[in-house]
């Protein structure tokens, strides 16, 4: 089968940036800055970007470009025993997609709710009570929340439609629209945010540096963790995307451009978020600490509340905000679907349509549990475990397997053939020493905190099932890896 | 807004957008986009 190729370098870069920019860029990065020393956090963040993030990006791009395959195939070509790592990366990615699509569907539902500002005064009660209809425990699924279910079907259909279209006519074309649109939406939100009364007070809190926090190891761990998660590493995405590059492509400079674009977007959006929070704090006479939030709480509770309090352009701002979440989410979810579908195509010689059909069908079935009224609990539990035992573990195994066993030199030699910027000795040190070391520390801290106390106070039985889902994913990866390949 | 915050804001923009445009410029000068 002839491998598809990107139509242009710009198409590849936009697709990779689209994959990296996700919901976390909008609702997580700025909170991390605020809660880890303000502007001082930028120092460990940049150190992490230069010493680990870009190096791992070069590694994943290099693997895909050299071996012309999805994560399992590329790892297999490196060493037959490594194929399992590639499968665990994409199976973990598919598990993430199952709940990620549900979160996008919430934002999708909120785009329509924005026209009437349907959330009213009590945004928290509206989101958890009316939209999610959240039950009391993970063991009470309570049937489906209908509007969430409809949203999930729509978002999966959009993913199917884009991925089935192929690399050039599907993913590249979609990102050629998604990326400029997302940056325009972000700039609109920033202009709206910084022009509100009290906005600069909020931004002051976002950036005010507390340099004493730099002696706190947890700040450095947070920075390395954020860099690792924000760049869409450890899920086989960048390996699959790079496998569609033409033979003489630049790899190292592309990795720099994608990494910088992703982080630049996060930093910019922080001005929109903290500008709006600053306005809200001033309007309610509260401190920023009383209104600040991250993740789901920021997007579906605090922001709708802030939007309702705006002096003008409420509906417009709400539509722009939730549309930005949908676009950021979609450009990431299509890359996750592609990483898994490409693996099926490579291993079993499937046609694209069949591979995407299987991926979307399995993904949709997996999403159903998260679309139930108790789904949020399962989302939280599975997300917690997959981040540790999926992404971090895969990143660690990748760095060790390629850096120490396959040989970092071989990848470095390959990527430097056509690169405008060479990977120098810094790259070897990063892949062989810094990245594995940091990821081991992250892994150990997570394991320790899991052993110290049950995560978020969930029942042990629910946490156990969450862990079983992850272990099940690992077993599936081992089985897929052991199966005889149709295409060698 | 304090001078320290303004300084960190400029620092962030210069590193991230400066870096982005620097590497984009290298790409444009050699193989293009």
């Amino acid at each position: 089968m002839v491998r598809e190729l990107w139509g242009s370098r710009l198409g590849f870069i936009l697709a990779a940036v689209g994959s990296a920019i996700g919901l976390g860029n909008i609702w997580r990065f700025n909170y991390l800055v605020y809660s880890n020393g303000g502007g001082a956090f930028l120092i460990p963040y940049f150190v992490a970007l230069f010493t680990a993030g870009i190096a791992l990006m070069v590694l994943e791009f290099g693997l895909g470009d050299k071996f012309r395959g999805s994560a399992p195939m590329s790892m297999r070509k490196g060493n037959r025993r490594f194929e399992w790592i590639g499968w665990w990366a994409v199976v973990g990615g598919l598990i993430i997609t199952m709940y990620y699509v549900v979160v996008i569907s919430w934002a999708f539902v909120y785009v329509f709710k924005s026209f009437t500002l349907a959330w009213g005064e009590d945004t928290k009660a509206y989101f958890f009570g009316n939209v999610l209809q959240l039950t009391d425990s993970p063991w009470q699924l309570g049937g489906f929340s209908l509007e969430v279910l409809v949203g999930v079907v729509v978002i999966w259909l959009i993913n199917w439609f884009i991925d089935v279209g192929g690399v050039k006519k599907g993913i590249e074309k979609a990102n050629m629209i998604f990326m400029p649109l997302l940056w325009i939406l972000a700039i609109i939100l920033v202009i709206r945010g910084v022009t509100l009364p009290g906005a600069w007070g909020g931004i002051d809190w976002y950036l005010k540096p507390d340099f004493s926090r730099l002696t706190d190891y947890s700040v450095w761990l947070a920075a390395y963790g954020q860099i690792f998660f924000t760049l869409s590493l450890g899920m086989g995405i960048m390996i699959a995307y790079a496998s569609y590059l033409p033979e003489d492509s630049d790899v190292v400079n592309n990795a720099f451009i994608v990494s910088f674009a992703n982080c630049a977007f996060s930093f910019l959006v922080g001005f929109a978020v903290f500008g709006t929070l600053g306005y809200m704090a001033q309007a309610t006479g509260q401190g920023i600490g009383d209104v600040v939030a991250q993740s789901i709480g920021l997007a579906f509770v605090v922001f709708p509340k802030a939007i309702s309090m705006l002096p003008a352009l409420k509906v417009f701002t709400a539509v722009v905000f939730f549309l930005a979440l949908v676009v950021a989410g979609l450009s990431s979810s299509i890359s996750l679907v592609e990483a898994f579908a490409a693996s099926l195509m490579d291993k079993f010689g499937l046609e694209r349509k069949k591979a995407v059909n299987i991926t979307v069908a399995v993904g949709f079935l997996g999403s159903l549990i998260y679309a139930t009224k108790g789904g949020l609990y399962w989302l939280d539990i599975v997300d917690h475990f997959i981040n540790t035992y999926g992404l971090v573990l895969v990143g660690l195994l990748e760095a060790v397997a390629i850096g120490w066993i396959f040989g970092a030199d071989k990848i470095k030699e390959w990527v430097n053939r056509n690169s405008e910027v060479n990977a120098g000795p810094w790259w070897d040190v990063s892949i062989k020493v810094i990245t594995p070391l940091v990821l081991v520390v992250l892994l150990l801290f997570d394991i320790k905190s899991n052993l110290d106390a049950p995560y978020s106070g969930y029942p042990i039985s629910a946490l156990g099932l969450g862990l079983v889902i992850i272990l099940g994913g690992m077993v599936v990866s081992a089985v897929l890896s052991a199966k005889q390949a149709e295409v060698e | 807004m304090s001078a320290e915050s303004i300084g960190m804001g400029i620092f962030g923009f210069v590193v991230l957008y400066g870096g982005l445009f620097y590497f984009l410029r290298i790409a444009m000068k050699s193989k293009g986009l």
Side-chain angles (χ1 to χ4, degrees):
Chain A
M1 215 185 303
V2 180
R3 197 161 194 84
E4 294 175 83
L5 295 177
W6 298 103
S8 65
R9 181 179 185 179
L10 181 66
F12 164 73
I13 289 174
L14 290 183
V17 172
S19 173
I21 296 179
L23 301 172
N25 294 64
I26 299 172
W27 73 28
R28 185 174 151 83
F29 169 78
N30 49 70
Y31 180 85
L32 270 184
V33 176
Y34 161 78
S35 58
N36 284 286
F41 180 74
L42 293 176
I43 293 167
Y45 183 72
F46 292 154
V47 170
L49 175 66
F50 294 124
T51 60
I54 292 170
L56 259 178
M57 186 72 86
V58 170
L59 175 70
E60 293 209 351
F61 279 176
L63 278 173
D65 185 54
K66 180 175 170 65
F67 295 122
R68 323 295 307 159
S70 55
M73 186 194 248
S74 292
M75 294 302 283
R76 181 191 174 90
K77 284 183 178 172
N79 185 316
R80 206 182 163 83
R81 287 171 302 160
F82 297 163
E83 185 181 340
W84 174 83
I85 302 171
W87 276 111
W88 180 222
V90 297
V91 168
L94 186 62
I95 292 174
I96 289 171
T97 322
M98 291 171 182
Y99 62 79
Y100 200 72
V101 162
V102 178
V103 179
I104 303 169
S105 83
W106 298 341
F108 177 72
V109 167
Y110 265 67
V111 171
F112 296 97
K113 292 185 180 297
S114 298
F115 290 99
T116 56
L117 304 177
W119 43 78
E121 291 293 308
D122 193 346
T123 53
K124 191 175 180 182
Y126 184 79
F127 178 63
F128 293 107
N130 293 40
V131 180
L132 301 189
Q133 300 169 46
L134 191 64
T135 57
D136 293 330
S137 92
W139 292 117
Q140 284 179 276
L141 293 180
F144 290 111
S145 161
L146 193 61
E147 52 188 349
V148 172
L149 184 62
V150 172
V152 168
V153 171
V154 173
I155 299 299
W156 269 116
L157 280 176
I158 296 173
N159 274 284
W160 176 84
F161 182 75
I162 293 171
D163 277 285
V164 95
V167 175
K168 190 176 165 185
K169 290 182 179 163
I171 299 168
E172 182 170 345
K173 215 171 172 180
N175 278 293
M176 285 286 198
I177 300 166
F178 283 163
M179 282 306 98
L181 175 64
L182 184 59
W183 281 83
I184 291 168
L185 294 173
I187 290 167
I188 292 172
L189 288 170
V190 170
I191 293 171
R192 174 79 282 223
V194 302
T195 52
L196 289 167
W200 291 97
I203 294 165
D204 194 28
W205 278 103
Y206 172 42
L207 295 173
K208 197 183 210 169
D210 176 2
F211 292 106
S212 68
R213 295 295 306 279
L214 294 181
T215 54
D216 182 350
Y217 72 88
S218 68
V219 170
W220 288 83
L221 275 184
Y224 273 91
Q226 173 64 13
I227 279 294
F228 185 70
F229 293 129
T230 191
L231 294 177
S232 280
L233 299 165
M235 293 179 282
I237 297 169
M238 296 306 177
I239 299 176
Y241 272 12
S243 74
Y244 304 129
L245 281 168
E247 290 280 353
D248 62 342
S249 297
D250 178 287
V251 167
V252 184
N253 198 19
N254 283 348
F256 272 98
I257 293 170
V258 171
S259 305
F260 272 105
N262 169 77
C263 298
F265 181 86
S266 300
F267 187 64
L268 179 71
V269 171
F271 285 79
V273 171
F274 272 81
T276 310
L277 293 178
Y279 164 73
M280 191 179 174
Q282 181 175 296
T284 56
Q286 293 174 295
I288 195 87
D290 298 317
V291 296
V292 75
Q294 64 166 332
S295 185
I296 294 167
L298 175 80
F300 299 103
V301 178
V302 175
F303 235 77
K305 196 167 197 165
I307 288 167
S308 294
M309 292 167 60
L310 292 180
L313 299 171
K314 294 178 191 181
V315 171
F316 175 73
T317 310
V319 171
V320 169
F321 176 70
F322 288 109
L323 196 59
L325 286 181
V326 172
V327 174
L330 269 176
S331 59
S332 300
S333 67
I334 57 173
S335 69
L336 286 157
V337 170
E338 177 60 22
F340 192 83
S343 307
L344 293 181
M345 286 187 268
D346 286 348
K347 173 100 184 187
F348 301 107
L350 300 182
E351 292 291 327
R352 166 169 287 277
K353 191 171 183 183
K354 200 169 183 186
V356 174
N357 284 348
I358 293 171
T359 308
V360 169
V362 172
F364 173 71
L365 288 175
S367 287
L368 290 178
I369 188 168
Y370 306 109
T372 63
K373 293 170 186 171
L376 179 62
Y377 298 118
W378 291 106
L379 189 159
D380 191 25
I381 291 169
V382 174
D383 179 62
H384 172 71
F385 286 122
I386 198 78
N387 280 327
T388 305
Y389 303 109
L391 307 190
V392 174
L393 187 61
V394 168
L396 174 63
L397 292 173
E398 251 178 32
V400 172
I402 303 299
W404 289 96
I405 303 171
F406 176 73
D409 282 354
K410 292 179 195 162
I411 295 290
K412 191 169 84 172
E413 211 174 285
W414 178 267
V415 298
N416 282 345
R417 285 175 322 130
N418 294 310
S419 285
E420 294 145 351
V421 182
N422 278 356
W426 60 271
W427 190 78
D428 299 70
V429 175
S430 173
I431 288 299
K432 293 171 86 168
V433 184
I434 299 173
T435 304
L437 196 70
V438 169
L439 292 177
V440 162
V441 173
L442 276 174
L443 197 62
L444 291 177
F445 269 93
D446 280 347
I447 292 172
K448 186 181 177 300
S449 72
N450 283 335
L451 293 174
D452 283 350
Y455 171 63
S456 269
Y458 285 113
I460 296 292
S461 54
L463 290 174
L465 186 59
L467 209 50
V468 166
I469 292 171
I470 306 302
L471 291 174
M474 286 186 179
V475 172
V476 168
S477 306
V479 170
L480 286 167
S481 172
K483 277 188 92 70
Q484 186 64 38
E486 293 293 326
V487 183
E488 283 291 346
Chain B
M1 203 165 142
S2 67
E4 282 174 308
S5 301
I6 294 170
M8 293 317 289
I10 293 169
F11 172 60
F13 270 110
V14 167
V15 173
L16 292 171
Y17 286 86
L20 175 61
F21 289 116
Y22 173 74
F23 289 106
L24 276 173
R25 195 164 159 265
I26 291 175
M28 294 299 287
K29 275 189 163 178
S30 69
K31 292 177 181 166
L33 291 174

